[in-house]
Amino acid sequence: MELNKNVREFIDENLLVFDDEAEFTDSDNIFELGFVNSLFAMKLVTYVENKFNIKVENTDLRLDNFNSVDNIVKFINSKITG
């Protein structure tokens, strides 16, 4: 649950810049909701790498790894547990 909280806080903090009323659940697709642009997507990848000390490979750069809080957390867990 701590991972969800960390990822959620990062997304929330960054969305406030664009939309101070943005609401979404952990399972919502933040790309389909229009909350994510290409700049934020790269910022999100950098955050995941730095915060959780993991390497995001080119083959990991798939939408389904980063399109929701739940999927980001699954991705992080898969990298941490190997």
Side-chain angles (χ1 to χ4, degrees), residues 59-80:
T59 56
D60 298 325
L61 294 173
R62 298 188 337 252
L63 191 57
D64 59 326
N65 283 335
F66 295 94
N67 64 358
S68 71
V69 172
D70 288 340
N71 286 348
I72 295 166
V73 169
K74 284 181 200 172
F75 172 72
I76 293 167
N77 280 327
S78 74
K79 288 297 217 173
I80 291 172

Side-chain angles (χ1 to χ4, degrees), residues 19-76:
D19 184 353
D20 61 354
E21 296 180 15
E23 292 183 24
F24 61 98
T25 68
D26 287 355
S27 61
D28 284 341
N29 185 321
I30 58 177
F31 286 85
E32 286 180 359
L33 292 173
F35 295 149
V36 179
N37 59 28
S38 58
L39 180 60
F40 178 71
M42 292 313 300
K43 191 173 182 179
L44 180 58
V45 169
T46 302
Y47 162 78
V48 167
E49 286 185 318
N50 293 335
K51 175 74 175 179
F52 303 102
N53 197 32
I54 60 176
K55 176 72 174 142
V56 177
E57 304 292 340
N58 286 340
T59 56
D60 298 325
L61 294 173
R62 298 188 337 252
L63 191 57
D64 59 326
N65 283 335
F66 295 94
N67 64 358
S68 71
V69 172
D70 288 340
N71 286 348
I72 295 166
V73 169
K74 284 181 200 172
F75 172 72
I76 293 167

Side-chain angles (χ1 to χ4, degrees), residues 6-24:
N6 287 332
V7 171
R8 175 90 190 188
E9 285 176 357
F10 175 80
I11 293 171
D12 281 339
E13 288 170 6
N14 284 276
L15 287 184
L16 289 177
V17 173
F18 301 108
D19 184 353
D20 61 354
E21 296 180 15
E23 292 183 24
F24 61 98

